[in-house]
Amino acid sequence: MATFTLPSLVILLSFLSVANSGSIGINYGRIANDLPSPAKVVQLLKTQGVNRVKLYDSDSNVLTSLSGSNISVTVALPNEQLFQAASKQSFTDSWVQSNILPYYPKTLIEFIAVGNEVFVDPKNTTPFLVPAMKNVYSSLVKYGVASSIKVSSPVALSALENSYPSSSGSFKPDLIEPVIKPMLSFLKQTGSPLMVNIYPFFAYIANTDTISLDYALFRDNKGQTDPNNGLVYKSLFEAQIDAVYAAMKALNFDDVATAISETGWPSKGDENEVGASAVNAAAYNGNLVRRVLTGSGTPLKPNEPLNVYLFALFNENQKPGPTSERNYGLFYPNEVKVYDIPLTREGLESGPTVNNGSKSVVVTAPTSSPLPAPVNGGGNVEASKVVNTWCVANEKAPREKLQAALDYACGEGGADCRPIQSGATCYDPDTLEAHASYAFNSYYQKKARGNGTCDFNRAAYVVTQHPKYGSCKFPTGY
């Protein structure tokens, strides 16, 4: 994923194609010591509506587990094997014989990713990339499977010299003749897409003074106008894709398709990783899914569907680098969701919108502490005609604590948070305290007002008067 990490095994979840729209996948990294078995992972993917996966290697246990699953697979030849693959056709012949033919077609292998972000590989494997791709393809031809298995290579966005404005997108000059042109020519000849890894998160944290969080998270914003062609961009993601398209067009390869092989947003980060949070991750990925599955292409190529792979399936506890690197997962290793977003068109139609990101359903472990004594809620209540109790947010609690408690209540806690989604009956007033109070009370009432169920690590307390925020009245029980 990020350019400074080691390659990881990645599975891409469900290219969910619909007419005139794109497809969504999810990467499954395995740099961890606490992940479920491949067989369990395949079952998890199937429960999420999977029909396509991608691996960063060709692990036999994973390929065997995928056999007969009707899940299409992309396997990979890792960077450390590029030199051998480029040097000898006999090596790629043997590699295909060992890693493709024993599993295909029961395991529906459709792509081979040759290397990963090779241009930033510290071992300088760039010169071997295109020869390796050609040899892999020749081996596929030799064994009669080249018509059904395509060859590509994921490229980091850092391959661009310029990415802003999008119309000025260009590749780094030192890469163009040695590798970019030969690779694009190969992809054009074989009908394969250019795989690109795009992370608006990195651009955002490096430019928080000029890039708005709403623009990075697909939220409502005024957009950015490209001064060269007048196209208006409502998301940084689309602007970055069009920078790649512009760079390809500058080399006369604008007829090569693209696939976004990695993109995502971390649910946790270090202090200097501004914006790394579960709420923002849910907003980015949830809004991206909606954009891809219900929209068209980019402003520059509106008729080209977006094929996107989210990173990642699991949090990976052994990844090097900053905290964010270990927190891109949609799931914890125990298969519990870090946050809940729809991944299919059906899920989009039945689930709530996540456009503003503040009511994302996020799972996080609660912290238990004694129930504080019941306290009257002050001025923001109305008299109740029934003796009862309700749970409201502690206005003196830090915002971070309130948000974490809200995330838990709406996630693992099982509170009914639909009324505080955008456009719903209790969305207004759109404040953290109001939304948290509604979620806390929903949880509290569902738990039959049991002892300790209105605490949330002292982010909430019990009141004996019926809370009221705007026109929203809180339920008394379920």
Side-chain angles (χ1 to χ4, degrees):
M1 41 158 311
T3 59
F4 42 79
T5 65
L6 297 173
S8 62
L9 170 66
V10 169
I11 293 182
L12 296 157
L13 173 147
S14 109
F15 262 106
L16 302 159
S17 298
V18 294
N20 299 321
S21 61
S23 56
I24 288 292
I26 186 172
N27 294 275
Y28 159 41
R30 296 179 66 221
I31 304 180
N33 60 8
D34 56 357
L35 299 182
S37 68
K40 288 185 176 180
V41 169
V42 171
Q43 290 304 311
L44 174 64
L45 294 172
K46 291 175 73 173
T47 65
Q48 300 300 311
V50 173
N51 60 17
R52 201 165 284 163
V53 299
K54 175 181 176 293
L55 312 177
Y56 268 124
D57 64 7
S58 52
D59 184 88
S60 60
N61 289 331
V62 176
L63 290 176
T64 299
S65 297
L66 286 164
S67 178
S69 65
N70 279 334
I71 299 173
S72 297
V73 184
T74 296
V75 301
L77 187 148
N79 290 358
E80 54 267 27
Q81 295 182 351
L82 289 178
F83 173 75
Q84 292 171 292
S87 301
K88 299 178 181 179
Q89 171 95 45
S90 60
F91 176 86
T92 56
D93 285 350
S94 177
W95 189 88
V96 168
Q97 286 178 318
S98 300
N99 296 281
I100 303 297
L101 301 183
Y103 309 100
Y104 182 81
K106 288 186 177 180
T107 299
L108 302 178
I109 300 171
E110 63 171 353
F111 275 97
I112 298 174
V114 178
N116 181 57
E117 298 190 342
V118 173
F119 305 153
V120 292
D121 185 351
K123 296 184 179 180
N124 192 29
T125 51
T126 297
F128 313 125
L129 176 58
V130 176
M133 294 173 73
K134 290 181 176 180
N135 279 348
V136 169
Y137 178 75
S138 295
S139 295
L140 295 176
V141 172
K142 181 176 182 178
Y143 296 110
V145 292
S147 61
S148 53
I149 301 176
K150 301 295 183 181
V151 177
S152 188
S153 182
V155 174
L157 193 66
S158 59
L160 296 186
E161 175 78 6
N162 297 307
S163 60
Y164 180 83
S166 298
S167 57
S168 298
S170 61
F171 290 105
K172 290 181 176 177
D174 61 322
L175 294 175
I176 292 176
E177 295 299 331
V179 62
I180 295 295
K181 280 186 175 180
M183 179 175 63
L184 292 176
S185 178
F186 168 81
L187 295 175
K188 181 176 180 179
Q189 292 170 9
T190 59
S192 301
L194 174 67
M195 294 180 173
V196 186
N197 297 344
I198 290 179
Y199 286 89
F201 172 70
F202 296 133
Y204 170 72
I205 63 174
N207 301 277
T208 55
D209 56 333
T210 56
I211 297 177
S212 76
L213 186 59
D214 288 343
Y215 185 60
L217 297 180
F218 296 89
R219 291 173 174 161
D220 293 337
N221 64 93
K222 63 181 181 180
Q224 300 288 330
T225 302
D226 190 312
N228 296 326
N229 56 23
L231 294 177
V232 178
Y233 291 89
K234 292 289 188 176
S235 72
L236 179 57
F237 174 81
E238 293 175 75
Q240 290 180 324
I241 295 175
D242 275 359
V244 176
Y245 281 138
M248 295 167 65
K249 183 177 182 179
L251 302 179
N252 297 315
F253 286 102
D254 58 334
D255 51 352
V256 174
T258 64
I260 309 306
S261 40
E262 292 182 15
T263 190
W265 197 282
S267 61
K268 187 184 297 184
D270 293 323
E271 185 176 352
N272 64 335
E273 295 184 292
V274 181
S277 72
V279 169
N280 288 343
Y284 177 82
N285 287 324
N287 290 329
L288 173 60
V289 169
R290 183 173 298 276
R291 169 67 183 81
V292 169
L293 296 184
T294 63
S296 56
T298 64
L300 188 61
K301 288 201 170 186
N303 297 321
E304 292 288 334
L306 294 172
N307 297 318
V308 176
Y309 316 126
L310 303 178
F311 193 92
L313 185 58
F314 294 114
N315 284 341
E316 301 169 70
N317 65 353
Q318 293 185 321
K319 295 198 73 173
T323 298
S324 61
E325 288 298 299
R326 294 174 289 282
N327 290 278
Y328 274 87
L330 295 183
F331 290 85
Y332 294 110
N334 63 1
E335 302 183 42
V336 172
K337 291 181 178 180
V338 178
Y339 47 85
D340 190 6
I341 61 171
L343 294 170
T344 66
R345 194 174 180 92
E346 293 75 18
L348 287 171
E349 293 171 351
S350 61
T353 179
V354 294
N355 183 55
N356 80 348
S358 64
K359 274 73 63 188
S360 308
V361 181
V362 182
V363 176
T364 181
T367 303
S368 59
S369 59
L371 177 69
V375 179
N376 288 337
N380 198 26
V381 294
E382 66 176 9
S384 173
K385 296 180 180 180
V386 180
V387 177
N388 213 321
T389 55
W390 295 265
C391 184
V392 297
N394 179 359
E395 64 275 12
K396 296 182 180 180
R399 290 184 60 82
E400 298 78 18
K401 181 180 287 188
L402 280 178
Q403 185 66 66
L406 168 61
D407 295 340
Y408 169 72
C410 290
E412 191 178 54
D416 181 7
C417 294
R418 289 173 297 179
I420 57 175
Q421 301 297 321
S422 179
T425 56
C426 290
Y427 175 74
D428 291 319
D430 182 16
T431 67
L432 177 59
E433 182 182 345
H435 291 159
S437 291
Y438 190 96
F440 295 170
N441 184 66
S442 175
Y443 177 89
Y444 177 64
Q445 302 296 339
K446 281 179 175 289
K447 297 296 183 181
R449 301 183 293 280
N451 187 45
T453 59
C454 180
D455 183 29
F456 297 95
N457 195 23
R458 301 194 182 279
Y461 56 78
V462 174
V463 297
T464 57
Q465 291 178 291
H466 198 162
K468 182 180 179 182
Y469 287 84
S471 61
C472 178
K473 293 187 178 182
F474 287 22
T476 301
Y478 292 88

